[in-house]
């Protein structure tokens, strides 16, 4: 039977369809809120930390220290200047990922679309109408994927393994970041990370991070060992 657009619109706005949509969105919001609550974040009054660091970049090693007050106020001092920006970026990404933001602010007021299609990383939850076309995947009450369509390259972070801390929350242990060209979806660069963390007076901080990068036919591996942590 050939339906007109008016008839289709009527079907999508019947009380039954509206109820189904609102139920699906409520389920999506509950899943995403629960996953964000499960993710470890710093306490509200966390003001940063200091640590000594040893960096191994392929066959080169250097050492120094870091002072991280906020994601935008990070000092890295190394005896190899070329590696400082790499370390600063990794510390910045760690702090941004774990900074305290109320769950409601992380999700915002965008309508949520729940896609239950089978996937190894769980269900997909899309923020409808959001500028970056952000979506998340949730499995076992944890975030396993975040996509953002930032120009000129989209960014997809997949968390393949978590570290569970005593209070039940999780930190990423093994993750991969994919950078793809917007539009074509062509893979430009991938970065695999292995993380280990340490409890300093109830605050979980980075202790080790290894990053394996592949881009333009080249591969690079570097690692950071952090020790002698101090809370600010």
């Amino acid at each position: 039977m050939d339906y007109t657009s008016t008839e289709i619109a009527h079907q999508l706005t019947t009380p039954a369809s509206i109820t189904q949509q609102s139920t699906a969105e409520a389920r999506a919001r509950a899943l995403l809120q629960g996953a964000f609550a499960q993710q470890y974040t710093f306490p509200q009054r966390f003001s940063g930390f200091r640590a000594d660091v040893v960096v191994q970049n392929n066959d080169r090693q250097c050492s120094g220290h870091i002072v991280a007050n906020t994601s935008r106020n990070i000092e890295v001092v190394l005896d190899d200047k070329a590696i400082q920006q790499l370390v600063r970026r990794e510390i910045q990404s760690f702090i941004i990922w774990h900074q305290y933001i109320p769950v409601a602010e992380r999700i915002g007021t965008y309508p949520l679309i729940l896609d239950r299609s089978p996937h190894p990383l769980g269900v997909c939850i899309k923020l409808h109408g959001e500028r970056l076309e952000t979506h998340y995947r949730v499995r076992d009450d944890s975030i396993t994927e975040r996509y953002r369509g930032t120009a000129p390259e989209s960014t997809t972070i997949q968390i393949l393994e978590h570290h569970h801390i005593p209070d039940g929350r999780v930190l990423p242990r093994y993750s991969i970041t994919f950078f793809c060209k917007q539009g074509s979806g062509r893979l430009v660069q991938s970065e695999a990370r292995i993380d280990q963390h340490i409890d300093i007076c109830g605050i979980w901080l980075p202790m080790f991070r290894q990053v394996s990068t592949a881009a333009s036919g080249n591969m690079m591996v570097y690692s950071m060992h952090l020790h002698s942590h101090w809370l600010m």
Side-chain angles (χ1 to χ4, degrees), residues 145-225:
E145 180 178 275
R146 187 195 71 188
Y147 168 88
R148 283 183 175 171
T150 51
E153 297 170 356
S154 64
T155 305
T156 302
I157 300 174
Q158 294 183 347
I159 303 173
L160 306 181
E161 185 176 329
H162 287 92
H163 166 62
H164 291 76
I165 62 176
D167 68 6
R169 290 181 293 171
V170 297
L171 297 110
R173 175 177 283 163
Y174 178 43
S175 61
I176 304 178
T177 303
F178 300 97
F179 301 92
C180 298
K181 278 290 185 183
Q182 281 280 58
S184 69
R186 181 176 64 86
L187 180 64
V188 176
Q189 180 171 319
S190 65
E191 299 174 347
R193 287 175 175 79
I194 299 174
D195 284 298
Q196 295 177 11
H197 310 89
I198 186 171
D199 181 356
I200 303 295
C201 300
I203 308 295
W204 287 87
L205 297 175
M207 181 176 66
F208 171 80
R209 170 170 283 188
Q210 179 175 296
V211 183
S212 300
T213 300
S216 302
N218 297 315
M219 295 186 66
M220 179 179 69
V221 180
Y222 61 93
S223 65
M224 306 184 310
H225 292 259

Side-chain angles (χ1 to χ4, degrees), residues 10-57:
H10 175 72
Q11 291 176 9
L12 295 176
T13 56
T14 60
S17 65
I18 293 174
T19 299
Q20 290 175 352
Q21 293 173 21
S22 61
T23 301
E25 180 170 359
R27 177 59 176 161
R29 193 164 296 276
L31 281 171
L32 199 51
Q33 287 176 337
F36 274 124
Q38 187 83 345
Q39 179 177 294
Y40 174 78
T41 57
F42 298 124
Q44 285 183 262
R45 296 185 178 181
F46 175 73
S47 56
F49 70 98
R50 301 176 62 182
D52 293 332
V53 61
V54 178
V55 183
Q56 184 76 42
N57 183 23

Side-chain angles (χ1 to χ4, degrees), residues 49-55 62-95 206 222-226:
F49 70 98
R50 301 176 62 182
D52 293 332
V53 61
V54 178
V55 183
C62 62
S63 60
H65 69 270
I66 65 170
V67 180
N69 291 45
T70 68
S71 62
R72 293 179 176 82
N73 187 13
I74 298 172
E75 178 187 5
V76 178
V77 178
L78 293 172
D79 49 22
D80 186 325
K81 303 298 183 182
I83 302 178
Q84 285 189 166
Q85 289 303 315
L86 290 177
V87 175
R88 188 182 188 280
R89 189 189 75 151
E90 295 304 324
I91 298 300
Q92 183 179 47
S93 71
F94 181 87
I95 292 179
Y222 61 93
S223 65
M224 306 184 310
H225 292 259
L226 287 80

